């Protein structure tokens, strides 16, 4: 559609206007999520204060913007019309595979809201819609599609890394480092699923699992949905093999909410936003900027792991 609307990519200005509208639409959906999560208005200006984010949307025209609009729509649907959330999430994944970082959280929310039945149905929706999207490619180039569509062994270019510049090229490209990040990601997800997310609902993990086998539906608050989905995405960001500049769109709109709910002093929370924004605006990245970004991520992660309920601090 973008190809056609921009005269086969020749009309860059029209593309910029379309991405501007996409930016505003994304902001509208995110604001709806923030309203449901009861984030105070004082935090909202941060949603549109990022210089790097404006560049990603209106100057660079990356498809990350399209994927995240659908991902945020899926998150909003989870607290209003959960049956549509799986399709929206799958459409986002078909555009950019980073949205898979939120799949564990989505499964948790589906289980909380509708138990085994809703979780199974929405998982099937995701799988079937992926099959439909893949069908033309599988018919023409099955091997190439299966090998490349979800390339988890992809090697990233050290030139563009924002988060691991301080490592050096050899460490950055080492298989051991990639495996360590994968293990760390799995461990953090396990902590979220076993401790932090159940704590948001006021139930233990065992109680949530037992409730899921009963044929009943439960209303999951918009705040709980947002915190669960955003935290799952954030730990994936922290453990990412590499973050390129356009990847900031994956979580920039999530940061004010995460900072608001994190159990940290308010001056520190604001300082963390400034540090993260600064690190993403240093080009090319330096050892200092990548270390600063890592320190800010770890500090915010510490505050996230201390969240006790999906209520305002």
């Amino acid at each position: 559609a973008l190809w056609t609307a921009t005269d086969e990519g020749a009309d860059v200005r029209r593309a910029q206007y379309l991405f501007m509208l996409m930016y505003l639409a994304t902001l509208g959906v995110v604001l709806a999520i923030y309203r449901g999560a009861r984030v105070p208005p004082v935090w909202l200006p941060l949603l549109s204060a990022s210089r790097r984010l404006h560049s990603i949307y209106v100057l660079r025209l990356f498809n990350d913007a399209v994927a995240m609009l659908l991902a945020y729509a899926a998150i909003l649907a989870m607290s209003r019309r959960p049956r549509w959330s799986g399709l929206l999430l799958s459409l986002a994944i078909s555009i950019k595979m980073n949205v898979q970082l939120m799949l564990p959280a989505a499964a948790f929310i589906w289980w909380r809201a509708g138990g085994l039945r809703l979780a199974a149905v929405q998982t099937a929706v995701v799988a079937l819609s992926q099959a439909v999207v893949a069908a033309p490619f599988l018919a023409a180039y099955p091997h190439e599609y299966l090998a490349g569509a979800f390339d988890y062994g992809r090697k990233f270019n050290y030139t563009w890394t924002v988060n691991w510049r301080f490592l050096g090229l050899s460490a950055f490209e080492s298989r051991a480092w990639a495996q360590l990040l994968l293990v760390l990601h799995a461990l953090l997800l396990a902590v979220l699923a076993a401790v932090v997310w159940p704590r948001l609902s006021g139930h233990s993990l065992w109680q949530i699992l037992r409730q899921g086998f009963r044929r009943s539906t439960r209303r999951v608050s918009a705040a709980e949905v947002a915190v669960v989905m955003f935290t799952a995405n954030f730990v994936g960001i922290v453990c990412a093999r590499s973050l390129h500049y356009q990847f900031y769109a994956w979580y920039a709109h999530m940061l004010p909410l995460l900072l608001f709910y994190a159990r940290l002093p308010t001056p520190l929370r604001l300082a963390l936003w400034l540090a993260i924004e600064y690190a993403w605006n240093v080009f090319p990245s330096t050892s200092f900027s990548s270390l600063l970004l890592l320190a800010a991520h770890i500090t915010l992660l510490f505050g996230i792991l201390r969240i006790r309920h999906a209520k305002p601090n």
Side-chain angles (χ1 to χ4, degrees):
L2 283 172
W3 178 256
T4 303
T6 57
D7 296 332
E8 299 182 348
D11 195 336
V12 176
R13 176 161 297 225
R14 187 181 300 169
Q16 288 180 302
Y17 280 125
L18 290 172
F19 270 78
M20 179 188 69
L21 292 174
M22 197 177 307
Y23 173 82
L24 293 174
T26 302
L27 194 57
V29 175
V30 170
L31 284 170
I33 294 172
Y34 274 54
R35 181 180 180 183
R38 296 169 294 177
V39 177
V42 69
W43 288 90
L44 301 185
L46 296 181
L47 290 172
S48 58
S50 172
R51 177 175 176 268
R52 174 59 66 189
L53 199 61
H54 293 160
S55 172
I56 292 168
Y57 273 83
V58 183
L59 294 179
R60 311 301 175 183
L61 312 180
F62 286 109
N63 65 347
D64 304 75
V66 185
M68 290 312 299
L69 173 57
L70 290 168
Y72 287 123
I75 293 170
L76 184 61
M78 283 183 181
S79 60
R80 299 185 179 187
R81 298 288 187 273
R83 63 180 178 272
W84 293 105
S85 57
L87 178 60
L88 288 167
L89 204 62
S90 183
L91 291 174
I93 292 170
S94 70
I95 296 170
K96 200 79 176 184
M97 64 186 292
N98 69 285
V99 181
Q100 292 177 87
L101 294 174
M102 289 183 267
L103 281 177
F108 183 89
I109 294 297
W110 291 331
W111 187 275
R112 279 269 295 126
L116 178 61
R117 181 177 179 180
L118 181 63
V121 168
Q122 291 304 310
T123 301
V125 168
V126 172
L128 289 173
S129 55
Q130 285 297 305
V132 170
V133 170
F137 306 100
L138 289 171
Y141 303 100
H143 176 73
E144 291 82 355
Y145 180 82
L146 292 173
F150 299 100
D151 183 9
Y152 297 106
R154 172 188 173 189
K155 291 186 177 181
F156 289 89
N157 192 329
Y158 182 69
T159 303
W160 301 108
T161 188
V162 178
N163 56 332
W164 302 123
R165 176 71 62 184
F166 64 89
L167 281 179
L169 180 60
S170 59
F172 176 82
E173 293 182 341
S174 72
R175 185 175 180 82
W177 175 247
Q179 292 173 337
L180 176 62
L181 289 173
L182 183 61
V183 171
L184 181 59
H185 185 198
L187 288 173
L188 287 172
L189 278 176
V191 171
L192 288 177
V195 181
V196 180
W197 296 343
R199 207 159 54 196
L200 297 173
S201 65
H203 301 288
S204 68
L205 178 61
W206 176 244
Q207 288 174 318
I208 291 172
L209 290 173
R210 288 180 60 190
Q211 290 171 354
F213 287 106
R214 298 171 185 169
R215 292 197 173 187
S216 61
T217 58
R218 290 163 296 280
R219 185 183 180 278
V220 182
S221 72
E224 183 181 344
V225 170
V227 173
V228 169
M229 295 294 287
F230 285 15
T231 52
N233 186 65
F234 183 70
V235 298
I237 296 291
V238 173
C239 302
R241 183 70 180 79
S242 183
L243 294 174
H244 295 179
Y245 285 93
Q246 67 270 29
F247 297 176
Y248 191 32
W250 295 0
Y251 76 123
H253 283 121
M254 300 182 183
L255 283 174
L257 185 144
L258 290 173
L259 288 165
F260 171 64
Y261 275 97
R263 296 190 66 194
L264 296 169
T266 297
L268 177 57
R269 288 185 279 181
L270 295 173
L272 288 177
W273 187 89
L274 290 171
I276 292 171
E277 178 67 16
Y278 168 81
W280 281 99
N281 279 281
V282 174
F283 179 81
S285 63
T286 63
S287 293
F288 173 76
S289 67
S290 61
L291 278 169
L292 180 65
L293 182 63
L294 177 62
H297 280 172
I298 291 175
T299 305
L300 178 53
L301 178 62
F302 174 73
I304 286 170
L305 294 177
R306 297 175 67 231
I307 295 175
R308 297 202 176 277
H309 45 67
K311 296 179 182 178
N313 289 320

